[in-house]
Amino acid sequence: MLPGGYGAVLQAGNRDEFRNEIVRFAHGLGFSTVSAITVIDHGLARSDFIAVDNTPQAYLESSWDRDSGRRDPVMQHCKRQSVPIIWDRQTYTSTGLGEMWEQMSSFGYQTGVALALHLPEGRHFQFGVDRDQPLPQDPAELQRIVADLQLFAVHAQEAALRLFLPTPLQPERPALTPRELEALRWTMEGKTAWEVGAILGISERTAVLHVNNAMHKLGCINKHQAVLKALRLGLIY
């Protein structure tokens, strides 16, 4: 079910293996740099940030500080939304931050795609890829890149929470009903809600309800993430 790159990041056993897989994915997609940031909110304006990336050290030393993150339009977009952002020079000049883009571009950060997954219990995952060449002009090719990024981010987020979330904060194994598990199994096989309903002898609406219930119990924001989490927890095979 899982193509090599997507499945491999789920198997990462430590930080170095995780980093190797996200870098491999970024390079395969045509991007030179990549960043994966896991955020755990603890309340009272206190959060833990675990960043895994291949950002050039010279860039970190010369241009990045906390104030930059507060002003950066890409970071601010990801902080508030889950919709991917495709960014370039215009993204920065339109907000009066052309000088920030000029500084970034000298280190190869000229354009890219970024997104964030905002999860229950104050957990967030931000993922982005960057390069020094323009993005494809063909809308279909650009759409494929964004779709690949979204799918990989779901896998990477699962691995990151497993690797970096403190043991006391790891979620308990959820109890799904047999019908919810069946609905997830058939969803894993690529079946639509209508097809799942036909297979299980239930209505399409009931099939959707089972999948939605499974998503809620697993703490996931979409059915693809729910399938991946159920696989990781050994709930489905």
Side-chain angles (χ1 to χ4, degrees), residues 12-232:
N14 54 51
R15 186 190 188 98
D16 287 342
E17 290 179 4
F18 180 80
R19 181 182 183 277
N20 289 341
E21 291 304 330
I22 65 171
V23 170
R24 191 195 321 275
F25 167 79
H27 288 174
L29 208 58
F31 294 85
S32 56
T33 55
V34 59
S35 174
I37 304 173
T38 304
V39 183
I40 306 168
D41 294 332
H42 297 286
L44 300 177
R46 186 173 72 88
S47 301
D48 291 334
F49 293 82
I50 303 101
V52 180
D53 53 54
N54 65 341
T55 304
Q57 187 62 32
Y59 173 63
L60 293 174
E61 293 172 352
S62 69
S63 61
W64 188 255
D65 55 36
R66 188 173 294 274
D67 183 61
S68 297
R70 293 193 185 101
R71 295 189 300 135
D72 189 294
V74 176
M75 295 289 287
Q76 291 306 307
H77 172 95
C78 290
K79 183 177 180 179
R80 297 179 174 87
Q81 301 187 45
S82 296
V83 179
I85 178 172
I86 300 170
W87 64 270
D88 56 15
R89 182 176 186 174
Q90 177 63 25
T91 307
Y92 288 81
T93 57
S94 64
T95 55
L97 294 170
E99 79 287 348
M100 180 180 286
W101 183 89
E102 292 290 348
Q103 190 172 24
M104 293 165 47
S105 68
S106 64
F107 292 92
Y109 291 85
Q110 296 189 16
T111 186
V113 186
L115 61 87
L117 300 173
H118 300 291
L119 308 165
E121 301 179 3
R123 298 165 190 174
H124 314 272
F125 184 73
Q126 183 175 328
F127 192 77
V129 291
D130 322 276
R131 68 189 195 184
D132 60 2
Q133 299 295 320
L135 293 176
Q137 295 297 309
D138 179 13
E141 186 176 355
L142 187 57
Q143 184 178 29
R144 179 190 62 79
I145 289 174
V146 173
D148 284 347
L149 186 74
Q150 289 177 296
L151 183 56
F152 185 84
V154 171
H155 290 71
Q157 171 265 319
E158 283 290 334
L161 290 184
R162 171 174 55 82
L163 291 170
F164 308 132
L165 200 65
T167 301
L169 297 181
Q170 291 284 350
E172 296 181 1
R173 185 184 176 96
L176 273 64
T177 67
R179 278 299 202 196
E180 290 163 357
L181 291 172
E182 286 181 309
L184 278 185
R185 286 192 192 98
W186 287 111
T187 299
M188 178 180 66
E189 297 296 331
K191 303 299 183 183
T192 65
W194 182 88
E195 291 171 322
V196 172
I199 292 169
L200 300 181
I202 57 179
S203 68
E204 178 180 3
R205 182 176 179 180
T206 302
V208 170
L209 179 63
H210 287 319
V211 173
N212 286 344
N213 285 343
M215 287 165 47
H216 176 74
K217 291 180 180 180
L218 290 164
C220 297
I221 59 176
N222 58 50
K223 64 182 182 180
H224 303 296
Q225 187 184 30
V227 166
L228 291 173
K229 189 165 186 178
L231 281 168
R232 179 171 64 81

